[in-house]
Structure formats: C-alpha cells, structure tokens
C-alpha cells in the first residue's frame, strides 16, 4: 500500500482508540476532571507521565536539533533527562503530600495569598501557551506531509481531536488516553531506529549501533563517517561543539529546573492514591522516558548521515521521492544559485542551496532510509501521539488554572461543582483555539519553542515551589516578587531577541553570552535573590504556615 493509505489507516485507528478511551473515561466530577479522582495506578501514571513528558519536542524536535547541532544539541538531552530526575526526587512526593489540584493551588495556600495564587495562575497560563505552541506545530507538520494538507489545516484537525478528549474526559480521560499514546509513540520511535541501525551498522540496538562501525566501510565508525561528511561540507565536525561553556551550562540548567516547574507534569503526581505511589510512578516514568531519550542521539546521527549522502552534490532531477514529498510541504527548499542543476548543501550561506526545517528529520528519517511504507506511516502516528498527549495535558492546566484557581478560589468561591466543571470545559475550548493560532504561527522550531517554556517555568515556578517546601522563612511578599521579577526578565529577554530584534540574536549581543534558550537560569537566580531579599525584610509567615511546611516536608502517609 501507499504511504498515505497506511497513514490514514494507522492514524484513524489510533484516533479512534483515543476517542473511545475518552468516552469510556468521561469525567463526571471536578476531582475526576482535575486529578482523575486520585485513582490511577503507579504503572499507568508512569506511562501517562512519560507520554505527557515526551512531547513533540522529544519525539520530533530533539533528534532533529541534535542532528543539526551535533554535540551542542546534547544540552537538550541532558537538560530534560536531568530535569525529570530532579522533579522525581525534590518535588513529586512533597507536592503529592500537600494534596492540592494545581501548582497555583500550592502557591496560593503555601504563601497564604490570593495575589500569589493569581500571579502563579498567570505564569502557568503563559508557560502552557508557550509550550503548547510547539505541540500544535508538530501536529501541523505531520499532517502536512503524510495527509498532504496545509500545515494550518493539520493544526485545525489536531485542535478538534484534542478538544474532544481533553474537554470531555478531563484528567481522567487524558490519563488513560496517554497510556495508549505512550505505547504508540514509543513503538513508532524505536522500530525505525532498530531497522536503520541494522542496515547501517549490523547492530539491532540503536544505542550501540550509534558507536559501531558501518557495515559497508570496514574500520570506519558511524560518528567518524559523519564527522568527515560534515567537515567536507564546511560544517564543524559533528562531535565537536560550537557553544560556549557558559551557554551550555545555562541552557542545561534552565531545562533541568524548568522541568521541575512545569505545571502539566507536576499535576500528574496528584492523580495517584498515595505518596508512595507518586514515587513509584516517577520511577516508572523515568524508565519509560529513558527508552526514547537514549535512542534519540542514534536517530539523529543515522538521519544526518543518510541525509547528506542522499542529497549532497546530487542532480536535482535525480533526487529521491522523499525529497519531492517534503518539498511539497515547504519544509525543504532548493534554490539553484549557480544554475548547475546540482544540490549544493554547504555551510557557506552564500553558496548553500538547500534549506531544511530541522523538525522534519525524525519524520523523514524512515523515508530517507527507504524503510517499508507501514514503518513510515507508523512514525507519523507516533508523532501525532506525542504532540497530542502533551497538548492535552497543557490545555488541562490552562483550564484548571482558570476554572479552579481563578474562578473557584479567587472570584466566585460559591460556584457549584457543576458550574466549575462547565467553566473548566469552556476554558479548555478557548485554550484550544489560542493554541491552534500559535501552532500555525510558531515563534521557532518545536524544540526551541519548548525550551522557552522551560526557561519561563525555571524563572517563575521553580524557586517558589522549592522554597515553599524547604524554607520556612519564605513569605508571600518574597514569593510574589520573585515570580514577577523572574518571569518578566526571562520573557522580556526572549521576546526582544526572538521578535523585537531577531537580527541581534547572536552570541556577541547576548547578556554574558547566554542565549534566549538558557536565560531562564539567570531569571531563576534573580528570582531566588529577589525573593530571599524581600522575605528577609518583611514579616515571617504565620504559625499555621510553618506547621504546613513541616507537614509537607515529611513525604509519608499522614
């Protein structure tokens, strides 16, 4: 069968499965809508957390960005992996012990302030919209290639699917849908990697094939071959780095601590019955996540090698079918600058004739390697599963922040449970529309956009949550000031270099040589410093808050 036919079949089957689960697990109460009634098993929650965590940035963007950046791209791998460990050890059990629905709920009660709650809500919404833009972009890319529709049309289709199961099922429906989505995405990610690893290195384990010799070149390893190909085209060796040490550190740190402040991941630990279950589900999720994350560098190297060998110095009239297919989406563009009919893919911008959107690498990889059509279609279904699973979690954060933290806790405390549930669904519908707009008009590559969201989370939530758990002296004045300073500084820096003055987005113009992707770490430091200073010169928290801190710092059953 043709690729498109296979894609229609696999996408239709997977979407039917997701919608069926959403109908089966329809939320009937606010507890089910917000935290799945706190009845999810650790294993299921681990899989759902992994699916929530492994967004389009992980599935589509990470290997793509590593493929183009080489060793420099490993900052995303290190940051996101280390960040999840940080989350599991430092935050998950304590927040589950606290027992509230959302991060703004924690901030509002811990800092005994409606103002703190509202600031946290605004931060959660801003972060979530930034993050969800990357997911919807990923949905649009998959649809544009494999179903041969415009990216905007693909985003609209994705909006409709997410709206249905996120608004209908809430966290209960999303959780069990994400279990299915994890199975789909991890199978779709590893199967082509195994095929290509066997074809290129003879090793069926991609993680080992990554460092093995090529089957058709005795004594030449994959990475040595890729280094040579890269240098021949004027690029730096694939295994060498271009980024400064300070920028690598700041990006990695921003991704790590940003992970620990992401509201859609944190809320997953409220869905299990007990504190010990939060720890178990964190461990399960780490194992499930590791399968994909250890495979990504191998996929990046395989794809980059095959890409260069497939197109460089090749007559345009003789390019393989996959090239033409992706060219139709606008995500690959060839401009014959010297009119010789051959594709010049080189580092020199004045001579380079090929523009490749790095977000297509994982999706195009099976086509480039000439794998069976069903494998190519499977990757499309996996990419959609990854993007939609995270998008649903983010939309739920937005809806609960508006309905529970703003409406119920701040402006209309007497609202009925039915009214609150209706408000949450309306908010989710509104959020889907806004997310779709940003998916059609994204501020950058998928992984890059998501990195901005992590930076914003690092600069706003992480210090407030950490000090809320481990510092009795931190008060509402300090937390509020720190969150405001952190997110305003970080957002302003990103907006300036990405939107206001993108022509100045170079290392020589960055503050201390820190890129917009890493500025969240500096924002976090400013948050810590500001909040600590303000707390020192303002009143101590009340006695009941000190007792609350003692209670949540003992992550065992009460």
């Amino acid at each position: 069968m043709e690729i498109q036919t296979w894609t229609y079949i696999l996408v239709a089957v997977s979407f039917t499965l997701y919608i069926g689960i959403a109908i089966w697990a329809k939320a009937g109460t606010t507890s089910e809508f917000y935290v799945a009634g706190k009845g999810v098993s650790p294993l299921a929650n681990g899989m759902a957390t992994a699916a929530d965590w492994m967004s389009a940035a992980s599935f589509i963007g990470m290997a793509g960005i590593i493929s183009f950046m080489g060793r420099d791209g490993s900052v995303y791998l290190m940051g996101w992996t280390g960040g999840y460990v940080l989350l599991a050890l430092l935050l998950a059990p304590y927040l589950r012990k606290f027992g509230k629905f959302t991060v703004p709920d924690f901030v509002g009660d811990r800092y005994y302030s409606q103002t703190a709650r509202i600031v946290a809500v605004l931060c959660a919404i801003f972060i979530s919209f930034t993050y969800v833009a990357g997911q919807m972009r990923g949905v649009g890319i998959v649809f544009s290639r494999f179903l041969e529709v415009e990216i905007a049309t693909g985003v609209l289709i994705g909006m409709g699917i997410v709206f249905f199961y996120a608004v209908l099922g809430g966290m209960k429906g999303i959780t069990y849908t994400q279990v299915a989505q994890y199975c789909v995405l991890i199978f779709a990610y590893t199967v082509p990697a195994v095929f290509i690893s066997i074809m290129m290195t003879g090793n069926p384990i991609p993680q080992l094939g990554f460092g093995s010799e090529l089957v058709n070149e005795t004594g030449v390893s994959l990475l040595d071959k890729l280094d040579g190909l890269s240098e021949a085209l004027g690029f730096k060796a694939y295994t060498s780095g271009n980024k400064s040490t300070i920028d690598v550190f700041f990006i990695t740190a921003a991704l790590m601590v940003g992970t620990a402040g992401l509201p859609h991941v944190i809320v997953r630990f409220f869905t299990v019955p007990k504190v010990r279950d939060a720890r178990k589900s964190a461990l399960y999720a780490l194992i499930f996540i590791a399968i994909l994350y250890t495979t990504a560098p191998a996929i990046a190297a395989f794809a980059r090698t095959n890409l260069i060998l497939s197109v460089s110095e090749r007559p345009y009239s003789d390019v393989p079918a996959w090239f033409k297919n992706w060219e139709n989406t606008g995500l690959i563009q060839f401009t014959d600058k010297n009119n010789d009919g051959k594709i010049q893919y080189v580092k020199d911008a004045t001579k380079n004739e090929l523009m490749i959107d790095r977000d297509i690498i994982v999706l195009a990889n099976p086509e480039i390697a000439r794998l069976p059509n069903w494998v190519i279609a499977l990757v499309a279904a996996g990419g959609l599963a990854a993007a939609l699973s995270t998008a649903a979690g983010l939309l739920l954060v937005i809806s609960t922040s508006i309905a529970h933290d703003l409406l119920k806790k701040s402006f209309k405390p007497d609202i009925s449970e039915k009214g609150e549930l209706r408000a949450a669904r309306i908010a989710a519908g509104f959020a889907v529309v806004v997310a779709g707009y940003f998916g059609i008009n994204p501020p950058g590559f998928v992984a890059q956009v998501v990195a901005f969201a992590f930076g914003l989370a690092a600069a706003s939530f992480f210090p407030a949550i950490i000090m809320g758990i481990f510092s009795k002296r931190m008060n509402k004045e300090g937390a509020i000031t720190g969150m405001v300073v952190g997110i305003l500084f970080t957002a302003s820096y990103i907006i300036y270099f990405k939107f206001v003055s993108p022509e100045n987005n170079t290392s020589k113009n960055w503050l201390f040589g820190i890129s917009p992707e890493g500025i969240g770490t500096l924002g976090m430091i400013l948050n810590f410093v500001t909040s600590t200073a303000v707390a020192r010169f303002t009143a101590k928290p009340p006695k009941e808050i000190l007792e609350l801190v003692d209670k949540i710092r003992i992550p065992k059953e009460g």
Side-chain angles (χ1 to χ4, degrees):
M1 287 190 290
E2 296 292 324
I3 294 174
Q4 191 174 27
T5 305
W6 270 114
T7 304
Y8 275 121
I9 292 172
L10 293 179
V11 170
V13 169
S14 61
F15 278 15
T16 301
L17 176 63
Y18 306 154
I19 292 172
I21 291 173
I23 294 172
W24 167 74
K26 180 181 178 181
T29 65
T30 52
S31 177
E32 289 181 340
F33 191 89
Y34 294 146
V35 289
K38 297 184 179 179
V40 181
S41 71
L43 180 61
N45 194 52
M47 295 182 77
T49 303
D52 213 349
W53 173 251
M54 291 187 297
S55 63
S58 294
F59 191 98
I60 297 174
M62 185 167 62
I65 211 164
I66 294 172
S67 182
F68 278 80
M69 295 177 65
R71 195 180 76 183
D72 286 337
S74 63
V75 297
Y76 291 87
L77 191 66
M78 294 186 296
W80 285 332
T81 305
Y84 186 80
V85 175
L86 183 67
L87 171 64
L89 293 178
L90 279 184
L91 297 182
Y94 302 104
L95 290 174
R96 178 61 186 83
K97 177 68 175 178
F98 187 72
K100 295 293 182 178
F101 286 155
T102 65
V103 174
D105 226 4
F106 169 81
V107 171
D109 286 6
R110 164 59 181 87
Y111 294 113
Y112 51 98
S113 167
Q114 286 298 96
T115 302
R117 186 189 307 276
I118 292 171
V119 170
V121 167
L122 294 176
C123 289
I125 292 173
F126 189 51
I127 291 165
S128 297
F129 272 128
T130 304
Y131 202 158
V132 82
Q135 312 316 309
M136 300 313 293
R137 163 75 172 175
V139 171
I141 289 173
V142 174
F143 274 119
S144 69
R145 163 61 189 93
F146 294 103
L147 300 185
E148 298 183 3
V149 298
E150 296 291 330
I151 288 181
T153 304
V155 170
L156 292 174
I157 296 172
M159 286 167 58
I161 297 296
V162 173
F163 177 82
F164 184 84
Y165 71 76
V167 172
L168 179 68
M171 179 58 81
K172 184 180 179 183
I174 287 171
T175 296
Y176 293 107
T177 301
Q178 286 174 335
V179 171
Q181 287 169 330
Y182 174 78
C183 296
V184 172
L185 76 87
I186 203 65
F187 187 67
Y189 202 79
T190 54
V191 165
V194 170
F195 272 123
I196 298 172
S197 184
I198 293 172
M199 291 169 61
M200 296 184 71
T201 68
N203 195 316
I205 303 174
Q207 293 87 339
L208 299 179
F210 178 54
S212 301
E213 291 184 1
L214 296 170
V215 292
N216 56 353
E217 296 187 43
T218 305
V220 179
S221 71
L222 171 67
L223 292 178
D224 286 339
K225 177 71 172 181
L226 188 49
D227 278 345
L229 290 171
S230 299
E231 290 175 327
L233 298 175
F235 298 99
K236 280 199 171 184
Y238 187 79
T239 55
S240 68
N242 296 320
K243 284 185 172 293
S244 65
T245 302
I246 188 171
D247 197 31
V248 168
F249 173 80
F250 270 72
I251 292 175
T252 304
L255 296 174
M256 284 184 64
V257 297
T259 298
L262 284 176
H264 75 290
V265 176
I266 290 173
V267 75
R268 291 239 54 95
F269 296 101
F270 292 85
T271 64
V272 291
K274 302 174 182 178
V275 175
R276 69 168 66 96
D277 293 333
R279 289 187 180 277
K280 289 180 182 178
S281 62
L283 176 61
Y284 283 132
L286 186 60
I287 294 170
F288 294 138
I289 290 168
I291 297 172
L292 187 145
Y293 272 47
T294 56
T295 308
I299 288 179
F302 296 153
R304 183 68 173 173
T305 303
N306 283 331
L307 174 68
I308 294 173
L309 292 174
S310 295
V311 301
S312 184
E313 289 294 326
R314 189 165 190 158
Y316 179 69
S317 59
D318 190 37
V319 293
W322 70 264
F323 188 98
K324 293 286 187 180
N325 292 334
W326 282 101
E327 195 174 27
N328 291 335
T329 68
L331 299 174
I332 287 182
Q333 296 175 10
F334 168 64
T335 305
D336 194 359
K337 294 180 179 179
N338 60 5
N339 296 314
D340 68 348
K342 292 183 178 181
I343 299 174
Q344 304 295 325
Y345 180 46
V346 294
K347 171 69 173 176
D348 188 343
T350 62
K351 297 178 181 179
N352 181 52
E353 299 175 338
L354 189 62
M355 187 286 293
I356 305 172
D357 189 311
R358 64 187 69 182
D359 286 337
I360 75 167
I361 284 298
V362 170
L363 299 173
N365 192 29
E367 290 183 273
I368 299 172
R370 299 180 180 180
L371 295 185
N373 287 347
W374 69 267
V375 177
I376 297 170
L378 179 65
V379 173
L384 289 172
L388 294 176
S389 63
T390 303
L394 291 163
L395 293 170
L396 188 69
V397 166
I398 295 169
S399 67
T400 53
S401 293
I402 293 173
H404 182 71
D405 296 307
L406 276 184
L407 194 61
K408 173 74 173 177
K409 292 287 188 175
S410 301
F411 299 122
K412 198 175 180 181
D414 59 343
I415 189 173
S416 67
E417 181 173 297
K418 186 176 180 180
E420 184 183 351
L421 190 58
R422 185 187 305 113
R425 286 177 167 146
I426 292 171
F430 172 76
V432 167
V433 175
V434 177
Y437 171 80
F438 285 114
I440 296 169
N441 303 282
F445 298 112
V446 172
Q448 189 180 51
V449 173
V450 171
F452 296 151
F454 277 69
L456 294 168
S460 56
F461 280 139
F462 182 72
I465 295 172
I466 284 293
M467 290 188 291
I469 295 171
F470 296 104
S471 172
K472 290 185 177 181
R473 185 63 184 83
M474 185 50 56
N475 59 15
K476 63 181 180 180
E477 292 85 0
I480 293 169
T481 307
M483 284 191 293
V484 171
V485 169
I487 199 163
L488 284 181
F489 168 79
T490 304
S492 299
Y493 192 90
I494 292 171
I495 290 169
Y496 175 77
F497 282 114
K498 298 303 296 183
F499 300 104
V500 177
S501 187
E503 67 276 5
N504 289 321
N505 189 20
T506 59
S507 57
K508 67 178 181 180
N509 296 318
W510 295 337
L511 185 65
F512 307 123
I514 303 169
S515 65
E517 291 82 359
I519 200 63
T521 301
L522 187 55
M524 176 195 67
I525 294 171
L526 288 176
N527 186 333
F528 272 120
V529 172
T530 302
S531 56
T532 302
V534 171
R536 183 179 178 86
F537 294 102
T538 49
K540 292 182 179 180
K543 181 181 178 182
E544 61 269 20
I545 298 300
L546 300 180
E547 293 172 352
L548 175 65
V549 174
D550 280 334
K551 181 181 177 182
I552 63 177
R553 280 170 61 178
I554 304 173
K556 61 184 180 182
E557 313 308 323

